[in-house]
Amino acid sequence: MSKPKYTIAVTGLNATDNPGPGLAVIRSLKEAKSFDCRIVGLCYEALEPGIYLNDLVDKTYQLPFPSAGQDMLFDRFAEISDKEKIDFLFPNFDAELYNFIKLQRRIEMELGIKMFLPTLDQFEERHKVNLFEFGKAHNLKVPVAEMVFTTNEIHAMAAKIGFPLVVKGKFYDAMIAYNDEQAEQFFNKISAHWGVPILFQEFIHGSEMNVCGLGDGKGNLKAAVAMRKLYITDKGKAWSGVTVDDERLIEQTRNMVESTKWRGPFEMEYIKTVDDEYYLLEINPRFPAWCYLTVGAGQNQVETLVNIAMGIDMPSLTEYKVGTLFIRYSSDLIVDIKEFEMISTFGEL
């Protein structure tokens, strides 16, 4: 029996020092055993490296930035859909998810493009600024955190939380401050990129542990792989990590999915203290940039998600190989200037 072939669109092609998940998602799709696929890359800027990786991306289109609004985004997808007949779409940036969640039903009904995303309530509830209340509601330990809107609030807020503390943007970036001067510096730097509020969070000492997983929207955990970060960049990104056997971590994740009826992919970021306590730092409502590790460990979560969205009943993935490492690397990509001009001028390549 022949396998189906899907045209799948993927955002997040920025394989930089703060990489998007797009290339990891594409590599996972390329290794799917239950279907074949053609990949349409979706970019926001002409220098996103994934645009030019022809062995992974068959065609690329440029999208309007999320700030342009939902109408412009839908109109652009209508143009792309006329040419490509896309079956499934993976949005991979936090900053774009709000628009895609709001447009999900319209995109599917009018353009025939499926997505499998969290609900708007789930997306908002797990937001960094709401995470402390989320933890109380779902029996998860979360570090104390406060929102800061102006530099005038920093001294009093820092005195309340204590140093060191973590300064976080509402979408991306996290920096550890050890005094008022650093806290103000990081506030200004992050707010210039992502706006306010900025989150000031209690710093918890311990090992950084992450879980990449998938919920079916009915309370069932369809897949989960736990990983411990081995090397972390100055942006707080894992540059290498190893899968670990941590049943308590998986159980906490299962309880979150059951309690919230989480729909779609997610990454849960924890700190495990020396006293074996787990503090939830973030829930990212999409696959992380390290999700290809799940394939190496025996769970192709990206493939599973596509099949679920296509109405195929998939068994839960409960086993994975412990001791599997990922090691990220950088490489020079040689590109003809004409390709750069094409994507910059015409918005497709």
Side-chain angles (χ1 to χ4, degrees):
M1 186 169 135
S2 61
K3 295 186 289 185
K5 183 169 183 177
Y6 303 129
T7 297
I8 299 178
V10 182
T11 72
L13 307 182
N14 63 324
T16 61
D17 60 341
N18 186 8
L23 294 183
V25 168
I26 292 168
R27 293 177 76 188
S28 301
L29 289 168
K30 291 287 188 179
E31 295 194 22
K33 293 180 171 59
S34 57
F35 56 79
D36 295 321
C37 59
R38 180 174 183 271
I39 301 298
V40 173
L42 302 170
C43 70
Y44 291 98
E45 298 181 279
L47 285 175
E48 294 182 29
I51 298 167
Y52 308 101
L53 289 169
N54 299 326
D55 58 328
L56 294 177
V57 179
D58 298 291
K59 178 88 175 186
T60 302
Y61 293 89
Q62 194 164 15
L63 296 180
F65 282 101
S67 57
Q70 295 167 30
D71 289 339
M72 283 193 67
L73 179 62
F74 182 85
D75 290 345
R76 180 57 171 154
F77 261 95
E79 293 174 7
I80 297 171
S81 180
D82 284 342
K83 299 177 182 179
E84 298 296 337
K85 306 302 179 188
I86 295 168
D87 298 298
F88 190 86
L89 168 61
F90 274 103
N92 287 307
F93 285 134
D94 292 7
E96 67 185 358
L97 275 172
Y98 177 84
N99 285 343
F100 279 112
I101 290 171
K102 293 286 284 185
L103 286 171
Q104 181 171 2
R105 180 171 175 80
R106 186 180 176 194
I107 286 175
E108 181 170 354
M109 297 297 292
E110 296 185 30
L111 304 181
I113 302 172
K114 294 183 181 296
M115 289 183 277
F116 200 75
L117 302 176
T119 66
L120 187 59
D121 286 344
Q122 290 168 345
F123 177 77
E124 296 290 353
E125 187 184 21
R126 58 83 241 168
H127 216 286
K128 294 176 187 179
V129 296
N130 300 324
L131 192 64
F132 190 74
E133 293 302 319
F134 179 93
K136 289 198 295 186
H138 301 290
N139 197 30
L140 295 162
K141 289 185 177 180
V142 177
V144 174
E146 298 284 348
M147 289 182 289
V148 176
F149 290 85
T150 70
T151 54
N152 294 334
E153 304 171 55
I154 289 176
H155 179 74
M157 198 65 67
K160 180 178 178 181
I161 295 175
F163 287 107
L165 55 80
V166 185
V167 185
K168 289 186 172 183
K170 58 183 178 180
F171 291 121
Y172 304 104
D173 286 342
M175 301 176 180
I176 302 172
Y178 293 88
N179 53 52
D180 282 339
E181 290 74 21
Q182 283 188 337
E184 185 171 342
Q185 176 188 349
F186 296 155
F187 175 94
N188 290 330
K189 184 174 182 179
I190 296 174
S191 62
H193 281 283
W194 305 114
V196 294
I198 300 298
L199 199 69
F200 277 41
Q201 188 177 69
E202 174 190 9
F203 179 79
I204 305 294
H205 292 272
S207 301
E208 294 197 32
M209 313 285 287
N210 290 21
V211 178
C212 179
L214 173 62
D216 67 357
K218 302 173 184 177
N220 300 307
L221 181 65
K222 300 301 291 185
V225 170
M227 177 272 287
R228 179 167 63 87
K229 293 182 180 180
L230 296 178
Y231 185 85
I232 303 168
T233 70
D234 59 354
K235 292 182 180 294
K237 302 302 176 182
W239 211 249
S240 65
V242 59
T243 57
V244 294
D245 181 11
D246 195 322
E247 185 51 42
R248 278 184 61 197
L249 198 59
I250 298 297
E251 189 59 30
Q252 284 206 27
T253 302
R254 182 179 292 109
N255 291 341
M256 185 281 292
V257 170
E258 183 178 347
S259 177
T260 63
K261 292 184 169 49
W262 186 271
R263 186 179 191 272
F266 62 85
E267 178 193 28
M268 298 185 74
E269 300 187 25
Y270 292 91
I271 290 289
K272 181 180 180 181
T273 70
V274 292
D275 298 321
D276 286 338
E277 291 187 293
Y278 294 86
Y279 285 84
L280 179 65
L281 300 183
E282 291 184 20
I283 300 179
N284 296 312
R286 37 77 186 165
F287 281 120
W290 59 272
C291 68
Y292 185 61
L293 177 63
T294 71
V295 180
Q299 290 190 11
N300 195 329
Q301 298 183 6
V302 173
E303 177 184 10
T304 299
L305 182 147
V306 172
N307 282 323
I308 291 173
M310 294 301 178
I312 299 170
D313 187 26
M314 298 295 294
S316 296
L317 304 175
T318 58
E319 304 292 331
Y320 61 90
K321 184 180 177 183
V322 174
T324 305
L325 280 78
F326 85 89
I327 302 171
R328 192 164 286 147
Y329 66 96
S330 58
S331 179
D332 296 329
L333 183 61
I334 307 303
V335 177
D336 193 307
I337 189 66
K338 292 178 182 177
E339 294 183 283
F340 174 77
E341 290 169 349
M342 285 287 291
I343 192 73
S344 300
T345 305
F346 300 105
E348 64 180 86
L349 179 65

